[in-house]
Amino acid sequence: MALATPLRHLLAAAPDPATGAPPSLQAQPARAFPPHRRLLLRSIRLVAAPSSDATRHAGVAARAAGGGRPTVLVTEKLGAAGLELLRAFANVDCAYELTAEELRAKVSLVDALVVRSATRVTREVFEAARGRLRVVGRAGVGIDNVDLQAATEAGCLVVNAPTANTVAAAEHAVALLAAMARNVAQADASLKAGKWQRSKYVGVSLVGKTIAIMGFGKVGSEVARRAKGLGMDVIAHDPYAPVDRARAIGVDLVSFDDAISTADFISLHMPLTPSTTKIFNDETFAKMTKGVRLINVARGGVVDEEALLRALDNGTVAQAALDVFFEEPPPKDSKLVHHENVTVTPHLGASTTEAQEGVALEIAEAVIGALKGELAATAVNAPMVSAEVLAELSPYVILAEKLGRLAVQLVAGGSGIKAVKIVYSSARDPDDLDTRILRAMVTKGIVEPISSAFVNMVNADYVAKQRGLRIIEEQILLDGSPEVPINSIQVQLANVESKFAGALSDDGDIRVEGKVKDGTPHLTLVGPFSVDVSLEGNLLLCRQVDQPGIIGKVGSILGTMNLNVNFMSVGRIAPGKQAIMAIGIDEEPDKEALKLIGETPSVQEFVFLKL
Ligand SMILES: NC(=O)C1=CN([C@@H]2O[C@H](COP(=O)(O)OP(=O)(O)OC[C@H]3O[C@@H](n4cnc5c(N)ncnc54)[C@H](O)[C@@H]3O)[C@@H](O)[C@H]2O)C=CC1
Ligand SMILES: O=C(O)C(=O)COP(=O)(O)O
């Protein structure tokens, strides 16, 4: 999907100047709401929520250094069709089996990095990238080899390919299940060694046995379906899986202890996270039925391998079939790998021709989309904002950033900003108004003019938190049609001094408010003064006592200095009382022009603001 320029602006670390057709607005059903209710929307939330859900959306545009084609570094073997797709869009550097040092050396020269499970994309890698790396594409599911927090802090989007290898992984689990139960690998090795050991390799049957699926996600549920086809009783444990989905394929969701204590076979399908690390340990093995058989096609780290070895040696675990290991490749003398009751494969779950073509295409599309600033449906470290929401809010994106920019420039030097309140007035039910993108833009507007940080949707909340900015959002619920998502956005900075007293509200906050008019952002309120000036170019705010002639005087200074006024508005409290002039200027006035404006009799204060 091509995005309108304002949206690219949000998604971009460096805005991509390419234009696309603006996405159509989403029609909303008309609903009635009580008038003018003020609601607290939400305080700031962090965005680094590791998940492999396929429903997350966000994008980050990258512009290659020098403005040319972007460069993509591919560090592990990728399916040919995916590589071809990448090559049509970017310069692709395929460099396999890099050392950590070599990877760090290369990463600052690329806009995107595509990896599988063997490349460790650590904090050091993001640091070495020095801000150029915008997208990490994981051609597969597990993103435990990517430091998501470091990626988020660097504003680097991480995308994965969560669906194309599901069936391959499930089939491999079933292959290991059957091979283990019938000693296929051991018998094969024995026969090849010239032996004929029929009684040694008597196996166990699967039919009628209970298998516990630990992690009932995409792979787990496919394994469950296949196990049912083999005549097994299937139970599953997954604290987050919907009961309905399990029920639909005839699987009972049970507690962790119930699952492991009743199963004859246990198949692992959860992600490796801090809470699943070594979740299978001495304590949990002790709760299992004696003679249980374990299959692990998930991640080696979910099993305490020393404890598994003990359980195999004391007969608690009769057999294990392992595709994944804590350390990959495992040490050559690994006792687990060489154990006679253990069947091993070298992380082959996703290694089918079909799955590799699939993940390569899936990741190539996601990476290209993200580099273009389009939506990444498989982003794992950015908030979920649907394409429809992004399209609908795109006119407000620039407004939000400009209000942030204005507000921060009104702060007097030395007064640290701590509290930012964003007030949206809207007739839309708060549950139907996703403002995270706008909050990110206000943050961008506030932070970027006063720091070297760059802010995008991936890192906005993180940057705000790191800078001690508490961002609160409120909604004033208006009467009227909820078809227009937002009537106005107000940015308030509390407990700061202003270099322009006219911008202070009666409560003492710096306050600016804006609206979108005919698709263009307008400033509509400064402190207590209503104005109406298009937010383009630069802005001059002058405060004076309302009286005839001042507009002419300031206007003629600007004219003399060859400064073009693009918009102008006067706001006053009452005739003859305090007033402000808001003047949009295309160019930036020089010191002399500003001096003359300051010396204009009756101009009590003025400020020049860059938009
Ligand atoms: N060996 C291989 O080549 C492959 C391995 N994998 C691995 O398989 C695993 C599953 O992948 P998908 O099914 O695609 O992911 P998924 O995200 O669809 O499913 C994971 C499920 O685990 C559940 N879960 C999270 N914490 C849990 C806990 N403490 N106990 C039980 N369940 C928990 C989640 O709720 C989710 O339903 C991942 O670890 C992935 O990295 C996936 C593909 C290939
Ligand atoms: O997708 C996953 O989680 C996998 O484990 C597959 O890993 P791979 O891409 O084969 O290195």
mmCIF file with all atom_site columns, all heavy atoms in Angstrom, residues 206-212 232-235 259 262-266 292:
data_model
loop_
_atom_site.group_PDB
_atom_site.id
_atom_site.type_symbol
_atom_site.label_atom_id
_atom_site.label_alt_id
_atom_site.label_comp_id
_atom_site.label_asym_id
_atom_site.label_entity_id
_atom_site.label_seq_id
_atom_site.pdbx_PDB_ins_code
_atom_site.Cartn_x
_atom_site.Cartn_y
_atom_site.Cartn_z
_atom_site.occupancy
_atom_site.B_iso_or_equiv
_atom_site.pdbx_formal_charge
_atom_site.auth_seq_id
_atom_site.auth_comp_id
_atom_site.auth_asym_id
_atom_site.auth_atom_id
_atom_site.pdbx_PDB_model_num
ATOM 1   N N   . LEU A 1 206 ? 1.671  -45.244 19.109 1.00 0.00 ? 206 LEU A N   1
ATOM 2   C CA  . LEU A 1 206 ? 1.148  -43.894 19.359 1.00 0.00 ? 206 LEU A CA  1
ATOM 3   C C   . LEU A 1 206 ? -0.361 -43.906 19.618 1.00 0.00 ? 206 LEU A C   1
ATOM 4   O O   . LEU A 1 206 ? -0.871 -43.110 20.408 1.00 0.00 ? 206 LEU A O   1
ATOM 5   C CB  . LEU A 1 206 ? 1.443  -42.986 18.152 1.00 0.00 ? 206 LEU A CB  1
ATOM 6   C CG  . LEU A 1 206 ? 2.917  -42.817 17.773 1.00 0.00 ? 206 LEU A CG  1
ATOM 7   C CD1 . LEU A 1 206 ? 3.046  -41.949 16.526 1.00 0.00 ? 206 LEU A CD1 1
ATOM 8   C CD2 . LEU A 1 206 ? 3.693  -42.187 18.919 1.00 0.00 ? 206 LEU A CD2 1
ATOM 9   N N   . VAL A 1 207 ? -1.046 -44.798 18.948 1.00 0.00 ? 207 VAL A N   1
ATOM 10  C CA  . VAL A 1 207 ? -2.502 -44.780 19.028 1.00 0.00 ? 207 VAL A CA  1
ATOM 11  C C   . VAL A 1 207 ? -2.965 -44.975 20.485 1.00 0.00 ? 207 VAL A C   1
ATOM 12  O O   . VAL A 1 207 ? -2.399 -45.771 21.228 1.00 0.00 ? 207 VAL A O   1
ATOM 13  C CB  . VAL A 1 207 ? -3.114 -45.850 18.070 1.00 0.00 ? 207 VAL A CB  1
ATOM 14  C CG1 . VAL A 1 207 ? -2.839 -47.270 18.548 1.00 0.00 ? 207 VAL A CG1 1
ATOM 15  C CG2 . VAL A 1 207 ? -4.602 -45.607 17.859 1.00 0.00 ? 207 VAL A CG2 1
ATOM 16  N N   . GLY A 1 208 ? -3.906 -44.136 20.866 1.00 0.00 ? 208 GLY A N   1
ATOM 17  C CA  . GLY A 1 208 ? -4.455 -44.248 22.216 1.00 0.00 ? 208 GLY A CA  1
ATOM 18  C C   . GLY A 1 208 ? -3.598 -43.583 23.288 1.00 0.00 ? 208 GLY A C   1
ATOM 19  O O   . GLY A 1 208 ? -3.994 -43.494 24.450 1.00 0.00 ? 208 GLY A O   1
ATOM 20  N N   . LYS A 1 209 ? -2.430 -43.113 22.938 1.00 0.00 ? 209 LYS A N   1
ATOM 21  C CA  . LYS A 1 209 ? -1.561 -42.448 23.926 1.00 0.00 ? 209 LYS A CA  1
ATOM 22  C C   . LYS A 1 209 ? -1.944 -40.966 24.037 1.00 0.00 ? 209 LYS A C   1
ATOM 23  O O   . LYS A 1 209 ? -2.526 -40.400 23.112 1.00 0.00 ? 209 LYS A O   1
ATOM 24  C CB  . LYS A 1 209 ? -0.087 -42.549 23.510 1.00 0.00 ? 209 LYS A CB  1
ATOM 25  C CG  . LYS A 1 209 ? 0.414  -43.968 23.396 1.00 0.00 ? 209 LYS A CG  1
ATOM 26  C CD  . LYS A 1 209 ? 0.696  -44.557 24.773 1.00 0.00 ? 209 LYS A CD  1
ATOM 27  C CE  . LYS A 1 209 ? 0.911  -46.073 24.752 1.00 0.00 ? 209 LYS A CE  1
ATOM 28  N NZ  . LYS A 1 209 ? 1.937  -46.521 23.838 1.00 0.00 ? 209 LYS A NZ  1
ATOM 29  N N   . THR A 1 210 ? -1.573 -40.373 25.170 1.00 0.00 ? 210 THR A N   1
ATOM 30  C CA  . THR A 1 210 ? -1.881 -38.948 25.374 1.00 0.00 ? 210 THR A CA  1
ATOM 31  C C   . THR A 1 210 ? -0.650 -38.108 25.033 1.00 0.00 ? 210 THR A C   1
ATOM 32  O O   . THR A 1 210 ? 0.444  -38.376 25.537 1.00 0.00 ? 210 THR A O   1
ATOM 33  C CB  . THR A 1 210 ? -2.284 -38.691 26.848 1.00 0.00 ? 210 THR A CB  1
ATOM 34  O OG1 . THR A 1 210 ? -3.460 -39.457 27.107 1.00 0.00 ? 210 THR A OG1 1
ATOM 35  C CG2 . THR A 1 210 ? -2.574 -37.216 27.103 1.00 0.00 ? 210 THR A CG2 1
ATOM 36  N N   . ILE A 1 211 ? -0.870 -37.109 24.200 1.00 0.00 ? 211 ILE A N   1
ATOM 37  C CA  . ILE A 1 211 ? 0.217  -36.168 23.898 1.00 0.00 ? 211 ILE A CA  1
ATOM 38  C C   . ILE A 1 211 ? -0.183 -34.793 24.434 1.00 0.00 ? 211 ILE A C   1
ATOM 39  O O   . ILE A 1 211 ? -1.324 -34.345 24.235 1.00 0.00 ? 211 ILE A O   1
ATOM 40  C CB  . ILE A 1 211 ? 0.551  -36.122 22.387 1.00 0.00 ? 211 ILE A CB  1
ATOM 41  C CG1 . ILE A 1 211 ? 1.754  -35.186 22.138 1.00 0.00 ? 211 ILE A CG1 1
ATOM 42  C CG2 . ILE A 1 211 ? -0.637 -35.700 21.525 1.00 0.00 ? 211 ILE A CG2 1
ATOM 43  C CD1 . ILE A 1 211 ? 2.361  -35.308 20.741 1.00 0.00 ? 211 ILE A CD1 1
ATOM 44  N N   . ALA A 1 212 ? 0.756  -34.161 25.129 1.00 0.00 ? 212 ALA A N   1
ATOM 45  C CA  . ALA A 1 212 ? 0.516  -32.797 25.637 1.00 0.00 ? 212 ALA A CA  1
ATOM 46  C C   . ALA A 1 212 ? 1.259  -31.819 24.736 1.00 0.00 ? 212 ALA A C   1
ATOM 47  O O   . ALA A 1 212 ? 2.477  -31.933 24.564 1.00 0.00 ? 212 ALA A O   1
ATOM 48  C CB  . ALA A 1 212 ? 0.993  -32.665 27.076 1.00 0.00 ? 212 ALA A CB  1
ATOM 49  N N   . MET A 1 232 ? -4.193 -40.263 18.599 1.00 0.00 ? 232 MET A N   1
ATOM 50  C CA  . MET A 1 232 ? -3.733 -39.933 19.953 1.00 0.00 ? 232 MET A CA  1
ATOM 51  C C   . MET A 1 232 ? -4.771 -39.068 20.670 1.00 0.00 ? 232 MET A C   1
ATOM 52  O O   . MET A 1 232 ? -5.562 -38.364 20.038 1.00 0.00 ? 232 MET A O   1
ATOM 53  C CB  . MET A 1 232 ? -2.395 -39.178 19.882 1.00 0.00 ? 232 MET A CB  1
ATOM 54  C CG  . MET A 1 232 ? -1.315 -39.966 19.169 1.00 0.00 ? 232 MET A CG  1
ATOM 55  S SD  . MET A 1 232 ? 0.296  -39.142 19.201 1.00 0.00 ? 232 MET A SD  1
ATOM 56  C CE  . MET A 1 232 ? 0.904  -39.632 20.826 1.00 0.00 ? 232 MET A CE  1
ATOM 57  N N   . ASP A 1 233 ? -4.747 -39.110 21.999 1.00 0.00 ? 233 ASP A N   1
ATOM 58  C CA  . ASP A 1 233 ? -5.554 -38.171 22.786 1.00 0.00 ? 233 ASP A CA  1
ATOM 59  C C   . ASP A 1 233 ? -4.705 -36.916 22.958 1.00 0.00 ? 233 ASP A C   1
ATOM 60  O O   . ASP A 1 233 ? -3.558 -37.009 23.416 1.00 0.00 ? 233 ASP A O   1
ATOM 61  C CB  . ASP A 1 233 ? -5.872 -38.747 24.166 1.00 0.00 ? 233 ASP A CB  1
ATOM 62  C CG  . ASP A 1 233 ? -6.808 -39.935 24.051 1.00 0.00 ? 233 ASP A CG  1
ATOM 63  O OD1 . ASP A 1 233 ? -7.596 -39.960 23.084 1.00 0.00 ? 233 ASP A OD1 1
ATOM 64  O OD2 . ASP A 1 233 ? -6.710 -40.853 24.893 1.00 0.00 ? 233 ASP A OD2 1
ATOM 65  N N   . VAL A 1 234 ? -5.275 -35.770 22.614 1.00 0.00 ? 234 VAL A N   1
ATOM 66  C CA  . VAL A 1 234 ? -4.460 -34.550 22.626 1.00 0.00 ? 234 VAL A CA  1
ATOM 67  C C   . VAL A 1 234 ? -4.953 -33.599 23.715 1.00 0.00 ? 234 VAL A C   1
ATOM 68  O O   . VAL A 1 234 ? -6.136 -33.244 23.764 1.00 0.00 ? 234 VAL A O   1
ATOM 69  C CB  . VAL A 1 234 ? -4.516 -33.846 21.254 1.00 0.00 ? 234 VAL A CB  1
ATOM 70  C CG1 . VAL A 1 234 ? -3.591 -32.631 21.257 1.00 0.00 ? 234 VAL A CG1 1
ATOM 71  C CG2 . VAL A 1 234 ? -4.127 -34.796 20.130 1.00 0.00 ? 234 VAL A CG2 1
ATOM 72  N N   . ILE A 1 235 ? -4.039 -33.204 24.579 1.00 0.00 ? 235 ILE A N   1
ATOM 73  C CA  . ILE A 1 235 ? -4.319 -32.128 25.523 1.00 0.00 ? 235 ILE A CA  1
ATOM 74  C C   . ILE A 1 235 ? -3.293 -31.031 25.253 1.00 0.00 ? 235 ILE A C   1
ATOM 75  O O   . ILE A 1 235 ? -2.275 -31.279 24.601 1.00 0.00 ? 235 ILE A O   1
ATOM 76  C CB  . ILE A 1 235 ? -4.260 -32.587 27.009 1.00 0.00 ? 235 ILE A CB  1
ATOM 77  C CG1 . ILE A 1 235 ? -2.893 -33.235 27.300 1.00 0.00 ? 235 ILE A CG1 1
ATOM 78  C CG2 . ILE A 1 235 ? -5.403 -33.523 27.332 1.00 0.00 ? 235 ILE A CG2 1
ATOM 79  C CD1 . ILE A 1 235 ? -2.680 -33.589 28.770 1.00 0.00 ? 235 ILE A CD1 1
ATOM 80  N N   . ALA A 1 259 ? -0.962 -31.073 32.362 1.00 0.00 ? 259 ALA A N   1
ATOM 81  C CA  . ALA A 1 259 ? -0.445 -31.501 31.055 1.00 0.00 ? 259 ALA A CA  1
ATOM 82  C C   . ALA A 1 259 ? 0.763  -32.417 31.239 1.00 0.00 ? 259 ALA A C   1
ATOM 83  O O   . ALA A 1 259 ? 0.801  -33.525 30.695 1.00 0.00 ? 259 ALA A O   1
ATOM 84  C CB  . ALA A 1 259 ? -0.071 -30.287 30.215 1.00 0.00 ? 259 ALA A CB  1
ATOM 85  N N   . THR A 1 262 ? 0.111  -35.988 33.043 1.00 0.00 ? 262 THR A N   1
ATOM 86  C CA  . THR A 1 262 ? -0.754 -37.034 32.474 1.00 0.00 ? 262 THR A CA  1
ATOM 87  C C   . THR A 1 262 ? -0.281 -37.521 31.103 1.00 0.00 ? 262 THR A C   1
ATOM 88  O O   . THR A 1 262 ? -0.778 -38.526 30.615 1.00 0.00 ? 262 THR A O   1
ATOM 89  C CB  . THR A 1 262 ? -2.211 -36.533 32.331 1.00 0.00 ? 262 THR A CB  1
ATOM 90  O OG1 . THR A 1 262 ? -2.178 -35.263 31.710 1.00 0.00 ? 262 THR A OG1 1
ATOM 91  C CG2 . THR A 1 262 ? -2.925 -36.446 33.647 1.00 0.00 ? 262 THR A CG2 1
ATOM 92  N N   . ALA A 1 263 ? 0.648  -36.806 30.491 1.00 0.00 ? 263 ALA A N   1
ATOM 93  C CA  . ALA A 1 263 ? 0.992  -37.127 29.103 1.00 0.00 ? 263 ALA A CA  1
ATOM 94  C C   . ALA A 1 263 ? 1.987  -38.277 28.979 1.00 0.00 ? 263 ALA A C   1
ATOM 95  O O   . ALA A 1 263 ? 2.871  -38.453 29.822 1.00 0.00 ? 263 ALA A O   1
ATOM 96  C CB  . ALA A 1 263 ? 1.567  -35.886 28.439 1.00 0.00 ? 263 ALA A CB  1
ATOM 97  N N   . ASP A 1 264 ? 1.822  -39.057 27.900 1.00 0.00 ? 264 ASP A N   1
ATOM 98  C CA  . ASP A 1 264 ? 2.833  -40.061 27.537 1.00 0.00 ? 264 ASP A CA  1
ATOM 99  C C   . ASP A 1 264 ? 3.904  -39.416 26.649 1.00 0.00 ? 264 ASP A C   1
ATOM 100 O O   . ASP A 1 264 ? 5.053  -39.853 26.638 1.00 0.00 ? 264 ASP A O   1
ATOM 101 C CB  . ASP A 1 264 ? 2.164  -41.200 26.749 1.00 0.00 ? 264 ASP A CB  1
ATOM 102 C CG  . ASP A 1 264 ? 1.028  -41.830 27.527 1.00 0.00 ? 264 ASP A CG  1
ATOM 103 O OD1 . ASP A 1 264 ? 1.292  -42.329 28.632 1.00 0.00 ? 264 ASP A OD1 1
ATOM 104 O OD2 . ASP A 1 264 ? -0.132 -41.775 27.055 1.00 0.00 ? 264 ASP A OD2 1
ATOM 105 N N   . PHE A 1 265 ? 3.464  -38.401 25.890 1.00 0.00 ? 265 PHE A N   1
ATOM 106 C CA  . PHE A 1 265 ? 4.384  -37.658 25.009 1.00 0.00 ? 265 PHE A CA  1
ATOM 107 C C   . PHE A 1 265 ? 4.167  -36.174 25.290 1.00 0.00 ? 265 PHE A C   1
ATOM 108 O O   . PHE A 1 265 ? 3.028  -35.729 25.481 1.00 0.00 ? 265 PHE A O   1
ATOM 109 C CB  . PHE A 1 265 ? 4.076  -37.927 23.526 1.00 0.00 ? 265 PHE A CB  1
ATOM 110 C CG  . PHE A 1 265 ? 4.374  -39.328 23.092 1.00 0.00 ? 265 PHE A CG  1
ATOM 111 C CD1 . PHE A 1 265 ? 3.442  -40.347 23.302 1.00 0.00 ? 265 PHE A CD1 1
ATOM 112 C CD2 . PHE A 1 265 ? 5.579  -39.643 22.484 1.00 0.00 ? 265 PHE A CD2 1
ATOM 113 C CE1 . PHE A 1 265 ? 3.718  -41.649 22.907 1.00 0.00 ? 265 PHE A CE1 1
ATOM 114 C CE2 . PHE A 1 265 ? 5.864  -40.941 22.084 1.00 0.00 ? 265 PHE A CE2 1
ATOM 115 C CZ  . PHE A 1 265 ? 4.922  -41.950 22.292 1.00 0.00 ? 265 PHE A CZ  1
ATOM 116 N N   . ILE A 1 266 ? 5.243  -35.420 25.306 1.00 0.00 ? 266 ILE A N   1
ATOM 117 C CA  . ILE A 1 266 ? 5.123  -33.965 25.513 1.00 0.00 ? 266 ILE A CA  1
ATOM 118 C C   . ILE A 1 266 ? 5.845  -33.285 24.359 1.00 0.00 ? 266 ILE A C   1
ATOM 119 O O   . ILE A 1 266 ? 7.032  -33.555 24.113 1.00 0.00 ? 266 ILE A O   1
ATOM 120 C CB  . ILE A 1 266 ? 5.763  -33.538 26.866 1.00 0.00 ? 266 ILE A CB  1
ATOM 121 C CG1 . ILE A 1 266 ? 5.030  -34.221 28.031 1.00 0.00 ? 266 ILE A CG1 1
ATOM 122 C CG2 . ILE A 1 266 ? 5.715  -32.018 27.018 1.00 0.00 ? 266 ILE A CG2 1
ATOM 123 C CD1 . ILE A 1 266 ? 5.640  -33.930 29.404 1.00 0.00 ? 266 ILE A CD1 1
ATOM 124 N N   . VAL A 1 292 ? 7.979  -40.894 30.237 1.00 0.00 ? 292 VAL A N   1
ATOM 125 C CA  . VAL A 1 292 ? 7.441  -39.922 29.265 1.00 0.00 ? 292 VAL A CA  1
ATOM 126 C C   . VAL A 1 292 ? 8.434  -39.722 28.117 1.00 0.00 ? 292 VAL A C   1
ATOM 127 O O   . VAL A 1 292 ? 9.642  -39.973 28.267 1.00 0.00 ? 292 VAL A O   1
ATOM 128 C CB  . VAL A 1 292 ? 7.136  -38.581 29.992 1.00 0.00 ? 292 VAL A CB  1
ATOM 129 C CG1 . VAL A 1 292 ? 8.419  -37.888 30.410 1.00 0.00 ? 292 VAL A CG1 1
ATOM 130 C CG2 . VAL A 1 292 ? 6.276  -37.657 29.151 1.00 0.00 ? 292 VAL A CG2 1
#
